[in-house]
Amino acid sequence: MKIGELSRATGTNIETIRYYERIGLLPAPDRTAANYRSYGEGHRSRLSFVRHSRELGFTIEEIRSLLDLSDDPSRDCGEADRIASLHLAQVEEKIAQLALLRDELTRIVGRCRGGIAADCRVIEALGDHSHCESAH
Amino acid sequence: MKIGELSRATGTNIETIRYYERIGLLPAPDRTAANYRSYGEGHRSRLSFVRHSRELGFTIEEIRSLLDLSDDPSRDCGEADRIASLHLAQVEEKIAQLALLRDELTRIVGRCRGGIAADCRVIEALGDHSHCESAH
DNA sequence: TATGCACCCTGTAGCAACTACAGGGTCAAG
DNA sequence: CTTGACCCTGTAGTTGCTACAGGGTGCATA
């Protein structure tokens, strides 16, 4: 498989594939006589793993650990669970933060009744944190 | 006010203050004989506005527009409202996305029952998008 | 045979919004 | 007169890509 095919097969930008190789997330594939990269099924599934994990918001370093784990099938599964649980906790915290933020923005946006900027409640609210109801 | 005082007064990193000056978000202040930056009350309130807006997740470019608006008090307030409303919509979308992601992660994490990586359901789920219940 | 076009290569620079030095100058206290 | 806290400029690093520039390869068509 050439890089363009792998790109289409996994929905990954070609530049991104080369980037993953450069940072050591994907192993360097064999080359054809013309120096084109030549991928196999192993590369495809590894790249799918990486992309799916990225979609789920794992960082590259987390993915590196998860890949190390799956490269050595005798290792304990607990670490994969720990990484995923930690990530889940981070996502939950992010959601909670954004919810506070949404409430604050809703309050701010609701205050605009038109008019000129001098009297703008939106701009006033942005300038003065003390109008806020919660920490963010 | 020297830069260290402004930093403490607004809870902003000194490097960040200089960065904002460099990108034209804060006007360059007067200098003392020793070439130290010397800030006034106007700088402090402008910086507070910027920091508060950043905490609410506005981008630098959005903040630039909001500042332009508040620098010209005769302008129409509607644009501030438009920027804030758009931002609110983005926050709401982000929350919805993260909620899907949280659900998927919860399902994945719940599948771990210990054991070795070869049988790990977490790693399996990460490798195969088809286990997912919704798009993310 | 030429030539057009899609594809591939390397290497480097850019994005957002900072943060972190390195290598220097200033100023007040002890 | 030296110590330490503060300030200065300029540049490079962070994360996870993306976008060139400037070239080479391979196949079909005129």
Side-chain angles (χ1 to χ4, degrees), chain A residues 15-16 19-20 34 36 54 60:
Chain A
E15 324 267 38
T16 304
Y19 167 70
Y20 287 161
Y36 288 7
R54 286 291 302 131
I60 298 283

Side-chain angles (χ1 to χ4, degrees), chain A residues 103-112 121-122 125-126, chain B residues 56 84:
Chain A
D103 296 347
E104 216 55 73
L105 281 170
T106 303
R107 275 175 10 85
I108 288 173
V109 166
R111 295 179 70 187
C112 183
R121 302 271 164 232
V122 172
L126 288 172
Chain B
L56 290 170

Side-chain angles (χ1 to χ4, degrees), chain A residues 29-91:
Chain A
D30 291 342
R31 298 291 182 122
T32 67
N35 200 31
Y36 288 7
R37 288 173 179 81
S38 177
Y39 296 97
E41 180 53 25
H43 290 98
R44 202 205 51 75
S45 69
R46 195 178 179 92
L47 180 53
S48 294
F49 184 102
V50 171
R51 290 311 298 168
H52 191 203
S53 301
R54 286 291 302 131
E55 278 166 24
L56 290 169
F58 289 92
T59 65
I60 298 283
E61 288 315 304
E62 284 168 337
I63 295 169
R64 225 185 269 279
S65 303
L66 290 166
L67 282 170
D68 281 356
L69 220 59
S70 75
D71 284 345
D72 181 356
S74 69
R75 281 179 58 193
D76 182 19
C77 176
E79 188 172 341
D81 191 57
R82 205 182 49 73
I83 293 171
S85 299
L86 189 63
H87 180 54
L88 173 57
Q90 283 163 3
V91 168

